[in-house]
mmCIF file of all heavy atoms in Angstrom:
data_model
loop_
_atom_site.group_PDB
_atom_site.id
_atom_site.type_symbol
_atom_site.label_atom_id
_atom_site.label_comp_id
_atom_site.label_asym_id
_atom_site.label_seq_id
_atom_site.Cartn_x
_atom_site.Cartn_y
_atom_site.Cartn_z
ATOM 1 N N ALA A 1241 65.597 137.308 76.335
ATOM 2 C CA ALA A 1241 66.802 137.845 77.146
ATOM 3 C C ALA A 1241 66.957 137.317 78.452
ATOM 4 O O ALA A 1241 67.932 136.912 79.007
ATOM 5 C CB ALA A 1241 66.706 139.337 76.978
ATOM 6 N N LEU A 1242 65.768 137.227 79.184
ATOM 7 C CA LEU A 1242 65.768 136.769 80.665
ATOM 8 C C LEU A 1242 66.077 135.300 80.675
ATOM 9 O O LEU A 1242 66.832 134.862 81.607
ATOM 10 C CB LEU A 1242 64.372 137.074 81.281
ATOM 11 C CG LEU A 1242 64.008 138.521 81.466
ATOM 12 C CD1 LEU A 1242 62.702 138.766 82.034
ATOM 13 C CD2 LEU A 1242 65.004 139.114 82.545
ATOM 14 N N VAL A 1243 65.452 134.486 79.818
ATOM 15 C CA VAL A 1243 65.792 133.144 79.740
ATOM 16 C C VAL A 1243 67.207 132.728 79.604
ATOM 17 O O VAL A 1243 67.793 132.079 80.304
ATOM 18 C CB VAL A 1243 64.945 132.351 78.624
ATOM 19 C CG1 VAL A 1243 65.376 130.958 78.424
ATOM 20 C CG2 VAL A 1243 63.384 132.386 79.039
ATOM 21 N N ILE A 1244 67.676 133.498 78.558
ATOM 22 C CA ILE A 1244 69.298 133.303 78.272
ATOM 23 C C ILE A 1244 70.017 133.773 79.504
ATOM 24 O O ILE A 1244 71.049 133.023 79.950
ATOM 25 C CB ILE A 1244 69.620 134.019 77.064
ATOM 26 C CG1 ILE A 1244 68.960 133.351 75.789
ATOM 27 C CG2 ILE A 1244 71.091 133.861 76.758
ATOM 28 C CD1 ILE A 1244 69.196 134.009 74.511
ATOM 29 N N GLY A 1245 69.796 134.919 79.972
ATOM 30 C CA GLY A 1245 70.591 135.443 81.059
ATOM 31 C C GLY A 1245 70.473 134.685 82.415
ATOM 32 O O GLY A 1245 71.448 134.514 83.119
ATOM 33 N N VAL A 1246 69.214 134.172 82.665
ATOM 34 C CA VAL A 1246 69.130 133.409 84.002
ATOM 35 C C VAL A 1246 69.488 131.882 83.772
ATOM 36 O O VAL A 1246 70.205 131.273 84.703
ATOM 37 C CB VAL A 1246 67.579 133.560 84.352
ATOM 38 C CG1 VAL A 1246 67.345 132.700 85.607
ATOM 39 C CG2 VAL A 1246 67.326 134.954 84.750
ATOM 40 N N LEU A 1247 68.947 131.309 82.740
ATOM 41 C CA LEU A 1247 69.187 129.831 82.488
ATOM 42 C C LEU A 1247 70.390 129.524 81.769
ATOM 43 O O LEU A 1247 70.791 128.377 81.808
ATOM 44 C CB LEU A 1247 68.011 129.172 81.843
ATOM 45 C CG LEU A 1247 66.694 129.133 82.659
ATOM 46 C CD1 LEU A 1247 65.624 128.518 81.824
ATOM 47 C CD2 LEU A 1247 66.843 128.285 83.917
ATOM 48 N N GLY A 1248 71.034 130.486 81.049
ATOM 49 C CA GLY A 1248 72.300 130.134 80.329
ATOM 50 C C GLY A 1248 73.377 129.505 81.162
ATOM 51 O O GLY A 1248 73.941 128.378 80.692
ATOM 52 N N PRO A 1249 73.751 129.925 82.315
ATOM 53 C CA PRO A 1249 74.819 129.368 83.030
ATOM 54 C C PRO A 1249 74.345 127.965 83.718
ATOM 55 O O PRO A 1249 75.278 127.356 84.151
ATOM 56 C CB PRO A 1249 75.036 130.378 84.296
ATOM 57 C CG PRO A 1249 74.486 131.625 83.695
ATOM 58 C CD PRO A 1249 73.291 131.281 82.797
ATOM 59 N N LEU A 1250 73.013 127.698 83.773
ATOM 60 C CA LEU A 1250 72.556 126.536 84.380
ATOM 61 C C LEU A 1250 72.228 125.549 83.395
ATOM 62 O O LEU A 1250 72.864 124.444 83.173
ATOM 63 C CB LEU A 1250 71.328 126.980 85.153
ATOM 64 C CG LEU A 1250 71.694 128.006 86.304
ATOM 65 C CD1 LEU A 1250 70.370 128.518 86.928
ATOM 66 C CD2 LEU A 1250 72.679 127.603 87.370
ATOM 67 N N SER A 1251 71.193 125.648 82.778
ATOM 68 C CA SER A 1251 70.681 124.602 81.698
ATOM 69 C C SER A 1251 71.147 124.788 80.374
ATOM 70 O O SER A 1251 71.111 123.944 79.479
ATOM 71 C CB SER A 1251 69.154 124.511 81.778
ATOM 72 O OG SER A 1251 68.647 125.696 81.151
ATOM 73 N N GLY A 1252 71.771 126.023 80.146
ATOM 74 C CA GLY A 1252 72.106 126.366 78.685
ATOM 75 C C GLY A 1252 71.202 127.485 78.166
ATOM 76 O O GLY A 1252 71.780 128.121 77.321
#
Side-chain angles (χ1 to χ4, degrees):
L1242 290 174
V1243 168
I1244 296 174
V1246 174
L1247 292 180
L1250 303 174
S1251 69

